[in-house]
Amino acid sequence: MAVVININELKRVLQITPKSQNIMLTGKHGIGKSQILKQFFEERGQKVVILFLGQMSDSGDLIGLPRLNEETGKTDFMLPYWFPNDGKPIVLFLDELNRARPEVLQTIMDLTLNRTLAGKSLPEGSRIISAVNDGEEYQLTDLDPALVSRFNIYEFKPTIQEWLVWAQKQNLDSRVIDFIAENPDMLDGSEFRREDQGLGKTPDRRGWERVARIIEKNQPDAILKSVIAGIVGMPAASKFFASLSKTRYLTAKDILLGSFDKVKAELKKYKTHEFAALNDSVFRLIESETYEKSEIKNVSKNLTAYFEYLEKEGLREAAAHFVNLFSSSGYPGTIIFIITNCPALNKKLTEFIKSI
């Protein structure tokens, strides 16, 4: 069984692992493996080449086409389109490794061991990362143990919280974000799949992103529900549409970006679990945003006023949940924001922790 890592842990693995060692990520489809890796390395100025091995019909798609070298009288191979010819190292991401044909996998053997392909070497400092889908629902190729042994293997499983922060940064429709926050089992819905379901859809992270992009420009109606059911499946679509008709609650932006005094009266109808959801939303918004100096003062003031409200109204469970978010490592950016910009709140939270 592979070690399970989330997004933050994956980034540390990538930082720690020497370039000469190969990494394999296992996991479900649609969880952002290629997207996260591409962003991580490109932010560091490194070129990422993504090859979808499952789409390659034979080894020639990977190593290039053979040709006669008229000078030597021997056969060599033309460099494939992706092979670097500028001498600069690359990150070669071999996606769908366990969907590749056996003849393609044989070519990968030399590449992963010696960094060579048909006698040509990758530039010094290049690294190789692969990704495989893991589960009985996939049609997969068995991997040779000798090939598997050339990789450090990790099961990549981003947390719900990481996806919610990412979704906030991507400005996905808040109705989708709030729905997943309240129904985390709906994010990765492979448990909904039945053996007799055929091509029936189930929810996944990629699907919810598509849902968010669609509903932000369309009003909910029967047709839209059918469209969404085609993306995440009817059970998830039905539950999502039911959530749209619920009473609108305050959002993190209502708490932080306006005037807290104008919205606090609406908090009187809240129950403990609703405060917990609002706390998460507040921490998530701060984690995902980069505020201008002119905004920081107002956000800090409202955040402090919100926690003071929880204390003043005797909402100890809600306040304790807020403090727990602060003392955990789930929202490092929000913690830094509070320590840096909210000294009075930081003091209150510290005193609350000591009183427990």
Side-chain angles (χ1 to χ4, degrees), residues 1-124:
M1 182 178 294
V3 175
V4 178
I5 58 174
N6 58 32
I7 293 176
N8 289 329
E9 291 166 340
L10 171 59
K11 292 178 179 179
R12 286 291 294 143
V13 168
L14 297 176
Q15 291 170 343
I16 293 171
T17 304
K19 296 176 181 178
S20 60
Q21 297 183 18
N22 307 318
I23 293 173
M24 179 187 293
L25 302 178
T26 72
K28 301 296 183 181
H29 64 280
I31 59 176
K33 295 185 290 290
S34 58
Q35 185 179 42
I36 292 167
L37 287 169
K38 191 171 187 293
Q39 180 180 355
F40 177 86
F41 287 111
E42 288 184 347
E43 286 177 350
R44 289 155 178 79
Q46 297 174 269
K47 182 179 179 180
V48 179
V49 176
I50 302 177
L51 300 180
F52 295 96
L53 302 186
Q55 299 177 7
M56 295 184 173
S57 59
D58 58 48
S59 59
D61 292 338
L62 181 63
I63 64 177
L65 297 176
R67 67 176 179 181
L68 176 64
N69 187 320
E70 296 182 354
E71 294 182 2
T72 64
K74 297 180 179 181
T75 299
D76 59 17
F77 290 84
M78 299 174 63
L79 287 175
Y81 74 94
W82 60 267
F83 199 94
N85 54 15
D86 56 4
K88 296 181 180 179
I90 63 170
V91 177
L92 184 59
F93 181 48
L94 306 175
D95 204 0
E96 303 178 338
L97 182 66
N98 58 343
R99 292 178 183 270
R101 294 174 177 269
E103 56 269 28
V104 174
L105 290 176
Q106 289 300 317
T107 303
I108 296 296
M109 295 284 280
D110 190 34
L111 184 62
T112 54
L113 182 62
N114 301 311
R115 296 293 195 276
T116 59
L117 196 63
K120 298 178 177 65
S121 298
L122 291 177
E124 186 70 25

Side-chain angles (χ1 to χ4, degrees), residues 23-249:
I23 293 173
M24 179 187 293
L25 302 178
T26 72
K28 301 296 183 181
H29 64 280
I31 59 176
K33 295 185 290 290
S34 58
Q35 185 179 42
I36 292 167
L37 287 169
K38 191 171 187 293
Q39 180 180 355
F40 177 86
F41 287 111
E42 288 184 347
E43 286 177 350
R44 289 155 178 79
Q46 297 174 269
K47 182 179 179 180
V48 179
V49 176
I50 302 177
L51 300 180
F52 295 96
L53 302 186
Q55 299 177 7
M56 295 184 173
S57 59
D58 58 48
S59 59
D61 292 338
L62 181 63
I63 64 177
L65 297 176
R67 67 176 179 181
L68 176 64
N69 187 320
E70 296 182 354
E71 294 182 2
T72 64
K74 297 180 179 181
T75 299
D76 59 17
F77 290 84
M78 299 174 63
L79 287 175
Y81 74 94
W82 60 267
F83 199 94
N85 54 15
D86 56 4
K88 296 181 180 179
I90 63 170
V91 177
L92 184 59
F93 181 48
L94 306 175
D95 204 0
E96 303 178 338
L97 182 66
N98 58 343
R99 292 178 183 270
R101 294 174 177 269
E103 56 269 28
V104 174
L105 290 176
Q106 289 300 317
T107 303
I108 296 296
M109 295 284 280
D110 190 34
L111 184 62
T112 54
L113 182 62
N114 301 311
R115 296 293 195 276
T116 59
L117 196 63
K120 298 178 177 65
S121 298
L122 291 177
E124 186 70 25
S126 295
R127 67 190 308 166
I128 296 176
I129 300 174
S130 71
V132 301
N133 292 132
D134 186 25
E136 296 180 356
E137 66 267 34
Y138 302 108
Q139 296 180 355
L140 306 173
T141 303
D142 290 334
L143 296 179
D144 191 310
L147 177 60
V148 173
S149 70
R150 297 174 187 183
F151 289 90
N152 304 342
I153 302 177
Y154 306 94
E155 180 182 352
F156 181 51
K157 193 172 184 179
T159 65
I160 303 294
Q161 182 174 296
E162 287 174 330
W163 187 87
L164 291 170
V165 171
W166 172 85
Q168 193 88 52
K169 289 181 179 179
Q170 298 300 312
N171 293 317
L172 297 193
D173 192 284
S174 61
R175 290 169 291 182
V176 169
I177 296 175
D178 292 342
F179 175 74
I180 297 300
E182 294 177 7
N183 303 274
D185 59 312
M186 288 286 173
L187 182 58
D188 299 308
S190 59
E191 64 270 19
F192 295 130
R193 182 172 292 280
R194 305 188 309 271
E195 291 184 2
D196 61 345
Q197 195 172 16
L199 291 177
K201 290 290 292 186
T202 56
D204 60 42
R205 299 170 190 232
R206 187 184 296 144
W208 284 117
E209 180 182 2
R210 295 202 296 267
V211 169
R213 299 305 183 194
I214 288 176
I215 68 167
E216 67 184 2
K217 298 179 180 179
N218 297 278
Q219 293 297 319
D221 57 22
I223 296 299
L224 185 60
K225 182 177 180 180
S226 296
V227 170
I228 292 175
I231 300 173
V232 295
M234 184 55 77
S238 297
K239 192 167 185 177
F240 174 67
F241 259 68
S243 74
L244 297 181
S245 62
K246 291 182 179 179
T247 303
R248 179 188 179 276
Y249 288 100

Side-chain angles (χ1 to χ4, degrees), residues 272-273 275-276 279 310 314-324 352:
T272 299
H273 72 279
F275 275 112
N279 290 345
L310 298 180
L315 302 167
R316 188 165 179 82
E317 288 187 36
H321 180 265
F322 188 106
V323 172
N324 183 61
F352 192 104

